[in-house]
Amino acid sequence: MASYSSHHHHHHHHAHAAEQTYTPAEEQFHTSSQFPKPQDWHKPVWKIKNDYPPAFKASSTPGDAPGLPLPDTAGEAPWMNIDFTKEPLKYAELVKEYCWDGNRNVDFVVQDNTVRPWYHAPWMHASANGREPLKGLTFERSIPPLEFAKGQTSALQNWAIGFYNAPGASVFGGVWADPNKPIWNENLKFPRGTAVFKLLLTTASDDEVPTMKGSPAWPAVISPQPDPAVAPPNGAIRNKEASEVRLIQVDWATVDERAPIGWVFGTFMYNGYLENITDPWDRLTSVGVMWGNDPKLDQAAVDRGEKPVESWINPEADKLRNDLGGKRPSWGYNGRLNGPADNFISACASCHGTAQSFDVPLVQSGKLISNKWVPLNEKLTMTWFDNVKAGETFSVRGALSADYSLQFTIGWNNYRNWLSTQKAQTREPDPKKKILLALPSRRVIFRPKPEDEDNDQLEKLLKGIRIEEEPKRNGPHFTWEA
């Protein structure tokens, strides 16, 4: 018995010691936020959940070892019983219920979910736009004045956090099995049963955006904004105190082989006009559902009056958009789906389809001319709206696919940047210097399909597009004319 307890004690002691002897890479991997909490903050702070399940292959059968069995999708993923082309709203509602299940009642502190495990994406802390300390939110695209509502005179900051269920998180488990030596050497493919969702919170007031009335609030350490009409370009500078941000949008995505792209995307917006709903987190109106990019819907087709057939937009949401009277002409590009906080010249699937190991711009280039979008080059623009298959790359021969997960690619880039900074720092160590990492601008290499004529011209255009600092979803900055 004595030997047992001493053995036990030794193990306990060893585990404790291990906590203090993380390698620098492990320490980063387990860092929740690199930004300080407010000095007077005594409530809990956000903690990353990154004990990912091991990778499981699509061929697994329940009970296989190693790796988790694939979920029984009919029971565990009830949306798989719904035809999203016929009942998109029902599909969206089932996904939302699943995402809320066990999460909503613990304020999305997934560690406390007793129904099923959920996880956060790794390495989202280490950039200028990295996670803030109180809720783990990252700095996202801001909404320029007048875009969302006619009374919206301020630029709205948006802050977000994403969540992955166990099948989804198993992809992180495969790549990051050893945080010191993450391995990404093949196209990633998220398994059947994967569900992902993202909460977006905003600085919008009820006065400027009437639909925000009664929206649930979270505390967050966001960026200073001395001029309300001008959003900070990125999240590099943070406040010393906490502010309130409120729910504006909920994005979700599911792996679904029935879709041309292998994923279904959807988004909800907060809607304070909904009556008789006591829980504010349930006051959500589905903006729409998207299962493809409508690759044939070019400008000529739009001018002929054609509409997307691989996006469904909820008429209720269109009514809300029109009632708000903002300047955005549609939710997503030419009637495709995107959310209130997103860029109308893009779309859920076209933006996420760019997730790969070579940085490419997430959003097409062009400019607003008297509030109308004019693409840099229509043919180039349509390359964004190809139906990239799950696990294939958007561009560049030799690039690896991150299978529609932008959070994966952001985390991976943060890690690579940290690694090169580490190497530079070890040559000249200065413990007092704390480096805030930011993604450098990069040039883009792009290989259009060989059958495209004007290859060189397209390539020249793309090479000229710079990828700016995160946030990744930004795209061009708009100034809407009143």
Side-chain angles (χ1 to χ4, degrees):
M1 189 67 210
S3 77
Y4 169 76
S5 63
S6 69
H7 178 74
H8 181 77
H9 174 79
H10 170 76
H11 261 280
H12 176 78
H13 180 75
H14 181 74
H16 189 72
E19 255 159 31
Q20 283 149 19
T21 53
Y22 275 152
T23 64
E26 287 164 346
E27 200 168 312
Q28 289 294 321
F29 182 76
H30 293 297
T31 296
S32 294
S33 172
Q34 63 173 351
F35 293 98
K37 63 178 186 177
Q39 278 178 323
D40 58 357
W41 187 261
H42 302 297
K43 298 194 193 101
V45 292
W46 183 80
K47 287 197 168 55
I48 187 166
K49 188 167 192 299
N50 59 6
D51 53 337
Y52 308 121
F56 53 97
K57 293 279 176 270
S59 57
S60 306
T61 54
D64 264 7
L68 289 177
L70 277 172
D72 154 29
T73 38
E76 181 58 7
W79 55 87
M80 295 301 283
N81 302 320
I82 306 294
D83 180 344
F84 48 78
T85 63
K86 293 197 174 70
E87 295 184 279
L89 192 57
K90 180 108 193 274
Y91 189 101
E93 287 294 341
L94 286 171
V95 175
K96 182 249 168 189
E97 277 168 32
Y98 174 91
C99 295
W100 260 220
D101 195 13
N103 283 329
R104 161 61 195 106
N105 60 326
V106 295
D107 204 31
F108 298 91
V109 177
V110 292
Q111 286 85 343
D112 298 340
N113 187 326
T114 55
V115 180
R116 64 177 70 83
W118 286 86
Y119 306 84
H120 306 111
W123 269 98
M124 296 282 290
H125 67 291
S127 83
N129 302 296
R131 300 192 185 276
E132 59 78 45
L134 306 183
K135 278 294 183 181
L137 310 177
T138 55
F139 180 93
E140 301 284 324
R141 172 186 185 264
S142 302
I143 304 177
L146 302 179
E147 182 175 287
F148 191 42
K150 57 175 174 287
Q152 183 217 330
T153 52
S154 310
L156 309 175
Q157 287 184 46
N158 296 303
W159 292 77
I161 179 171
F163 306 90
Y164 288 72
N165 70 353
S170 72
V171 170
F172 298 133
V175 172
W176 295 96
D178 177 357
N180 299 294
K181 286 200 185 66
I183 296 167
W184 183 14
N185 57 8
E186 56 182 0
N187 287 337
L188 302 183
K189 183 97 169 58
F190 285 83
R192 192 171 78 234
T194 292
V196 186
F197 73 101
K198 186 168 183 180
L199 306 174
L200 281 107
L201 296 94
T202 184
T203 55
S205 68
D206 296 355
D207 289 347
E208 292 198 13
V209 183
T211 47
M212 289 299 292
K213 196 171 157 50
S215 173
W218 270 358
V221 180
I222 65 171
S223 294
Q225 194 172 331
D227 178 351
V230 181
N234 58 37
I237 304 167
R238 306 287 169 103
N239 291 330
K240 290 195 164 52
E241 74 288 346
S243 313
E244 220 176 56
V245 287
R246 296 187 303 156
L247 185 70
I248 182 175
Q249 178 175 332
V250 178
D251 294 339
W252 56 264
T254 53
V255 166
D256 193 323
E257 293 93 355
R258 298 173 296 177
I261 54 175
W263 285 83
V264 177
F265 287 89
T267 189
F268 287 88
M269 69 180 278
Y270 178 80
N271 179 3
Y273 299 159
L274 291 174
E275 286 169 359
N276 310 324
I277 297 176
T278 40
D279 183 358
W281 288 91
D282 286 332
R283 283 183 212 129
L284 296 173
T285 292
S286 175
V287 177
V289 176
M290 179 174 198
W291 52 91
N293 279 309
D294 279 289
K296 297 195 171 67
L297 189 73
D298 58 10
Q299 194 58 52
V302 173
D303 295 341
R304 287 195 301 270
E306 289 179 32
K307 298 263 185 289
V309 291
E310 295 175 343
S311 283
W312 169 79
I313 304 288
N314 187 357
E316 292 293 311
D318 256 347
K319 188 175 171 321
L320 280 174
R321 185 174 56 77
N322 292 321
D323 289 351
L324 283 168
K327 296 285 182 188
R328 67 182 305 154
S330 61
W331 289 113
Y333 190 51
N334 277 337
R336 295 169 179 86
L337 177 65
N338 231 357
D342 303 319
N343 209 313
F344 82 96
I345 60 165
S346 184
C348 305
S350 66
C351 180
H352 283 264
T354 62
Q356 59 174 50
S357 62
F358 285 78
D359 245 347
V360 292
L362 270 64
V363 176
Q364 56 156 315
S365 280
K367 54 180 180 290
L368 274 185
I369 297 175
S370 53
N371 287 349
K372 196 157 166 40
W373 176 250
V374 181
L376 177 67
N377 171 302
E378 229 265 320
K379 194 161 190 171
L380 177 67
T381 283
M382 289 311 293
T383 59
W384 263 264
F385 298 97
D386 260 352
N387 278 342
V388 182
K389 283 274 188 298
E392 289 177 9
T393 51
F394 167 66
S395 75
V396 190
R397 286 196 277 278
L400 292 171
S401 168
D403 194 14
Y404 285 82
S405 175
L406 292 176
Q407 295 213 336
F408 177 85
T409 55
I410 291 169
W412 181 264
N413 282 332
N414 289 350
Y415 164 74
R416 302 294 307 174
N417 288 328
W418 172 83
L419 203 58
S420 54
T421 319
Q422 271 296 97
K423 287 181 178 139
Q425 269 184 315
T426 44
R427 288 196 286 277
E428 204 174 289
D430 177 359
K432 288 186 294 294
K433 238 166 129 183
K434 192 160 194 282
I435 293 185
L436 277 185
L437 294 169
L439 281 180
S441 293
R442 290 225 191 86
R443 288 280 187 208
V444 179
I445 310 141
F446 188 90
R447 302 262 174 272
K449 294 205 239 12
E451 69 270 15
D452 273 2
E453 68 277 20
D454 319 324
N455 259 2
D456 296 347
Q457 191 204 349
L458 282 187
E459 191 133 349
K460 271 199 200 78
L461 282 172
L462 255 162
K463 278 193 174 147
I465 301 170
R466 293 188 70 78
I467 297 170
E468 299 307 327
E469 278 286 295
E470 280 183 89
K472 288 280 200 172
R473 319 211 280 189
N474 251 358
H477 287 276
F478 298 138
T479 309
W480 294 97
E481 293 167 21

